[in-house]
Amino acid sequence: MSDDAWGALAQRVAEHAENYIDGLTRLAGGEGGDAILPLLLVEVAQVSSAGAQLGASRDVILSGNWEPHLGEDPDVDVVRTALAERLKPVDDYAEVFDPYKDTGVTPYRLSDDLTAVAADLLHGLRHYKAGRPLEALWWWQYSYFNTWGNHAGAALRALQALVAHTRLDVAEERTTV
């Protein structure tokens, strides 16, 4: 990939990351009201599209194969706690971690998954905003395969199931003819 192509990909992923973090923070803060589940579904689906682009790209290899130190990452626990409170009745769910290697069911929490994605995206954004788009891409790609891709996929499945249940599990209205 050329430097221009890497730069364009980094810009697209950065935009997705910023949109996801902004949307997640707003929803955790109470925006969206009763529509929080479908809105979270949209946020996760959109950032998963960026992850798919990273997964489809060839491996990003850093010069010297090392990542410059950034210091402490921002704490996302306030967002996680707020999401856990808003999602309390549906926060806990079951997931198969790796359908090819580990078929056992594992307990998950939507609030943990959603903020794990945000934490990894924030780390990459710090590189991007420091003028190191290749380091940002390396981190986003590495963490997509290692952590946030799994958390986003699990959250996407759980949110899709919740939204489907709210739409499909309704009592049939009786009609009189």
Side-chain angles (χ1 to χ4, degrees), residues 23-24 27 35-45 83 87 114 159:
L24 190 67
L27 291 169
I36 188 171
L37 296 177
L39 291 171
L40 284 170
L41 178 63
V42 170
E43 294 294 341
V44 175
L83 282 170
L87 298 171
L114 297 167
L159 289 164

Side-chain angles (χ1 to χ4, degrees), residues 37-150:
L37 296 177
L39 291 171
L40 284 170
L41 178 63
V42 170
E43 294 294 341
V44 175
Q46 289 176 338
V47 83
S48 293
S49 172
Q53 290 175 46
L54 292 165
S57 298
R58 68 178 176 87
D59 288 347
V60 178
I61 307 294
L62 295 178
S63 177
N65 205 23
W66 68 278
E67 174 191 15
H69 183 65
L70 290 171
E72 294 295 316
D73 282 327
D75 188 4
V76 295
D77 201 49
V78 170
V79 173
R80 187 199 59 74
T81 302
L83 282 170
E85 186 60 34
R86 287 207 67 201
L87 298 171
K88 194 175 223 166
V90 295
D91 199 23
D92 294 317
Y93 70 99
E95 173 69 15
V96 174
F97 181 72
D98 183 335
Y100 293 102
K101 291 185 177 181
D102 178 12
T103 57
V105 175
T106 304
Y108 272 60
R109 284 195 179 98
L110 275 170
S111 57
D112 291 342
D113 290 330
L114 297 167
T115 53
V117 172
D120 282 344
L121 295 173
L122 276 168
H123 185 90
L125 274 173
R126 291 179 65 209
H127 281 300
Y128 184 79
K129 290 178 178 180
R132 296 188 299 269
L134 197 59
E135 283 84 355
L137 280 174
W138 174 84
W139 175 258
W140 286 322
Q141 188 181 58
Y142 166 78
S143 61
Y144 172 73
F145 288 127
N146 194 44
T147 55
W148 77 265
N150 181 61

